[in-house]
Amino acid sequence: MYRIKEHPILKSFQKGRLVKFEFDGNVMEGFEGEPISVALKANGVMVHRYTKKHSQPRGVFCSIGRCTDCVMIVDGQTNVRTCITPLAEGMKIETQYGVLNKR
Amino acid sequence: MERFELIVIGAGPAGLSAAIEAASCGMSVIVFDENTRPGGQLFKQIHKFFGSKEHKAKERGFNIGKNLLNEAEELGVRVELDSTVMGIFRNKEISVMKNDSVKHFKGNSIVIATGASENMVPFKGWTLPGVIGAGAAQTMMNIHGIKPGNRVLMVGSGNVGLVVGYQLIQAGCILEAIIDAAPRVGGYGVHAAKLARIGVPFYMSHTIKLAQGIDRVEGAIIVEVDKSWKPVSGSEKTLEVDTICIAVGLSPMSQLVRLAGCKTLDDPKKGGIVPLCNEYGETSISGIYAAGDVAGIEEASSAMIQGKIAGAAASKDQGYISEDEFKARQKKLENSLLQLREGMFGHKSTAQVTHTDEGYELSHSLLKKGYISDTELSHYPGIPTEDDLKDGLVPVIECTQNIPCNPCQDACPKGCIKVGDNITNLPSIETSVKCSGCGMCVVSCSGQAIFLVKQNHSPGYGLVSLPYEFSPLPDVGDIGYALDRLGNVVSKAEVISIKKTPVMDETAVLTMKVPSNLTMKARFFKPAMKEEKII
Ligand SMILES: Cc1cc2nc3c(=O)[nH]c(=O)nc-3n(C[C@H](O)[C@H](O)[C@H](O)COP(=O)(O)OP(=O)(O)OC[C@H]3O[C@@H](n4cnc5c(N)ncnc54)[C@H](O)[C@@H]3O)c2cc1C
Ligand code: SF4
Ligand code: SF4
Ligand code: FES
């Protein structure tokens, strides 16, 4: 739904192979090597984390690794900036609540 | 600790140009960039650039980036990516973080070319997922091939907002509106007109009040502001959008300049805190230069020239070129830079300008709503007269502000278009020369402001040729709608020809048949939906 199929200027986009990954327990597909946030977006995921104090939702904002709004738990590691971290096959990605993987 | 004659921080157009210039003089150069990809902003820019040939006008940003990278590579410049420069110390030593480990490097000279960061406006709900920076939108759609959303509100009508807005539509999004708190469109009129004729509404003197939604953007409320920037109550409008894109300006990334101990000043004309530099871009610390957006927000074209000047100056400092050779290079570059800074957008106080340098009154409608009104159109030198139109095929140049740009003049093999030596002049048409209809001006115009019009093609019908950069490209024989400058349907239209050759660089010339009396109104072709009946 969000992937650009045919771009008038850029034509197509170079992507790695299609791989499966896990988001909060659901299996999803994305292209190897693209930022995790792009694969999530393609699957309609908008909320990456909830803030610690007020539990407010956050998602991609700068997309270049500067704002830290997009951090999530990736393969058990917290605070991973998903907009600049490449997707790999079998990755386990979780919504981050404060610094935890649960509310 | 590794040592280089020149260390460049930032692999954008400024940094790469500095590296190329210095390496071509024989220096050993290393460039660091915190990004995974080199090129800075350039690889996100998919539109054709302004300027003249020497500024690489009418080339698309990402192609300029590719060429710079190739050149740097050929000259043996080392480019280190994923490498964030954390500090600059005395004796021109820097610390660089790569993969969680810190290394130190030493340079005889340093060029700081760290670019800019995006400004933000706080409003209720601005932290919701779906509120993004314009740069993020570009990164998603132009680098990674993903739409940031389906229905977008653009906040900010400067060139960034206008250009990214157009790119969103090219990516397949719907641009619901473009708003700006200022009473006038901030960017080039030609960029605005491209959006208006597709039907994007412009709301000037409007700001965003709030983003609706619980865990993502589900709408936006905008509100009019009065002369003292206060919201006018009761003027609220709700827009159904899933994405709010913020393009309210850039600020120089001057942290490293300050860390290095260079003197700075707060200059609103340059976008914020910038290093105090001499004419070669040298800061208050001898041997440390600043170039590009970090030294004052401008354009990639000027960033490249500033980079070259800094690279040449460093080469002179270290004896790779003579004082005379440097002066000669610098003078040429300086002239080229001055050309870009001419015109109504060069002095950054556009709010006051009412007339062009030639004395033509600026289009009010263009500044307020993004398109030139029918009554204003005939004032300008690029617009044919009634008599010219009777003669056959003529170019119509709807470029009415002093912007630094002249590819239209270079494009015409016949000499139908004149800008003159001063590249900010308004282009004018030379109707004594016969236009061949080749379409090169249409595709070369960075502002997509040139159309070809033939009023009498067959009884009652005329032809309009226009630049077309959307997918899918319509086919000859397709029937659709002709839209006027504000995006309203004015008639049915038939595609008569599509011309697209490699030299046109992905811009097609679409020629449509419309009623003769609408040839000076119809400015866009909208394909009909599948199976839609057109009456
Ligand atoms: C939407 C849009 C449209 C534009 N259209 C045009 C146009 O038509 N014509 C035109 O001429 N210009 C245009 N520009 C402007 C142009 O892109 C910029 O002015 C230009 O890129 C500035 O170049 P730069 O090299 O100074 O900075 P940048 O291109 O921003 O590059 C700076 C680089 O420095 C790196 N960096 C920053 N800090 C560090 C650090 N501490 N360590 C390591 N690396 C670091 C960054 O990662 C970045 O790659 C446009 C800009 C935008 C956003
Ligand atoms: S169509 Fe060709 S001949 Fe006519 S004005 Fe344009 S460039 Fe010149
Ligand atoms: S008409 Fe000429 S000067 Fe105006 S935007 Fe187009 S190419 Fe540039
Ligand atoms: S979106 Fe800003 S760091 Fe990822």
Side-chain angles (χ1 to χ4, degrees), chain B residues 319-451:
Chain B
Y320 279 96
I321 55 173
S322 69
E323 188 79 33
D324 287 348
E325 157 99 44
F326 169 66
K327 279 270 151 65
R329 282 189 191 215
Q330 192 260 338
K331 194 146 194 247
K332 222 173 123 210
L333 291 166
E334 189 74 35
N335 281 339
S336 173
L337 193 58
L338 286 177
Q339 280 195 326
L340 289 174
R341 289 178 176 162
E342 293 271 316
M344 64 177 274
F345 291 89
H347 29 77
K348 299 259 169 196
S349 56
T350 46
Q352 289 352 308
V353 183
T354 57
H355 289 75
T356 70
D357 296 343
E358 298 90 342
Y360 299 105
E361 191 173 355
L362 292 178
S363 160
H364 291 280
S365 166
L366 184 60
L367 291 167
K368 269 233 128 13
K369 295 179 240 159
Y371 60 87
I372 307 171
S373 69
D374 290 346
T375 48
E376 294 166 318
L377 194 67
S378 59
H379 302 347
Y380 302 104
I383 309 299
T385 62
E386 300 269 332
D387 283 346
D388 298 335
L389 285 164
K390 284 191 190 112
D391 268 4
L393 187 69
V394 273
V396 179
I397 309 186
E398 305 189 1
C399 175
T400 61
Q401 298 172 332
N402 297 118
I403 55 178
C405 184
N406 73 355
C408 49
Q409 170 174 269
D410 289 347
C412 184
K414 301 270 177 183
C416 302
I417 302 172
K418 204 175 126 220
V419 174
D421 291 337
N422 193 345
I423 66 168
T424 50
N425 287 350
L426 297 193
S428 58
I429 48 171
E430 202 62 68
T431 43
S432 56
V433 195
K434 200 102 196 92
C435 160
S436 72
C438 69
M440 282 317 292
C441 56
V442 177
V443 298
S444 303
C445 170
S446 325
Q448 298 190 12
I450 306 184
F451 306 85

Side-chain angles (χ1 to χ4, degrees), chain B residues 73-132:
Chain B
E73 203 168 289
E74 273 164 28
L75 288 164
V77 172
R78 202 166 122 193
V79 182
E80 288 286 325
L81 301 170
D82 295 310
S83 306
T84 307
V85 176
M86 322 269 294
I88 304 184
F89 308 98
R90 248 174 294 162
N91 303 327
K92 308 202 177 66
E93 200 183 306
I94 65 164
S95 58
V96 182
M97 174 135 99
K98 185 169 187 168
N99 303 330
D100 292 327
S101 76
V102 178
K103 272 195 193 159
H104 289 253
F105 294 83
K106 198 166 157 47
N108 296 348
S109 304
I110 296 180
V111 175
I112 302 176
T114 46
S117 60
E118 293 183 271
N119 299 342
M120 201 42 221
V121 273
F123 52 90
K124 210 167 160 229
W126 76 277
T127 57
L128 274 181
V131 178
I132 54 170

Side-chain angles (χ1 to χ4, degrees), chain A residues 66, chain B residues 9-16 32-35 37-42 44-45 47-50 83-86 113-116 118 134-135 138 159-161 163-164 167 188 191 250 253 256 291-295 297-304:
Chain A
R66 277 188 191 156
Chain B
I9 307 169
L16 287 176
F32 296 100
D33 201 298
E34 62 184 359
N35 243 300
R37 294 158 190 259
Q41 299 295 322
L42 276 180
K44 302 179 204 169
Q45 310 307 342
H47 58 291
K48 294 181 177 174
F49 273 28
F50 290 85
S83 306
T84 307
V85 176
M86 322 269 294
T114 46
E118 293 183 271
Q138 284 195 306
N159 276 334
V160 173
V163 167
V164 176
Q167 293 175 357
Y188 294 171
H191 278 322
L250 303 168
M253 286 248 286
L256 280 180
D293 279 355
V294 68
I297 304 301
E298 268 182 86
E299 300 261 85
S301 337
S302 32
M304 288 186 277

Side-chain angles (χ1 to χ4, degrees), chain B residues 182-229:
Chain B
R184 290 166 60 151
V185 174
Y188 294 171
V190 287
H191 278 322
K194 286 193 298 190
L195 292 172
R197 65 176 174 257
I198 310 174
V200 177
F202 281 68
Y203 294 106
M204 294 300 103
S205 300
H206 274 73
T207 188
I208 177 158
K209 187 171 168 185
L210 89 106
Q212 298 172 311
I214 307 289
D215 67 355
R216 68 191 59 201
V217 172
E218 281 165 21
I221 297 183
I222 60 170
V223 64
E224 197 175 336
V225 292
D226 63 18
K227 284 204 181 88
S228 50
W229 308 83

Side-chain angles (χ1 to χ4, degrees), chain A residues 2 4 11 15 41 58 61 66, chain B residues 131 133 136 144-145 147-148:
Chain A
Y2 288 104
I4 301 170
K11 305 295 156 202
K15 294 281 180 185
K41 176 94 214 180
R58 292 285 188 276
F61 179 69
R66 277 188 191 156
Chain B
V131 178
H144 301 301
K147 292 192 283 179

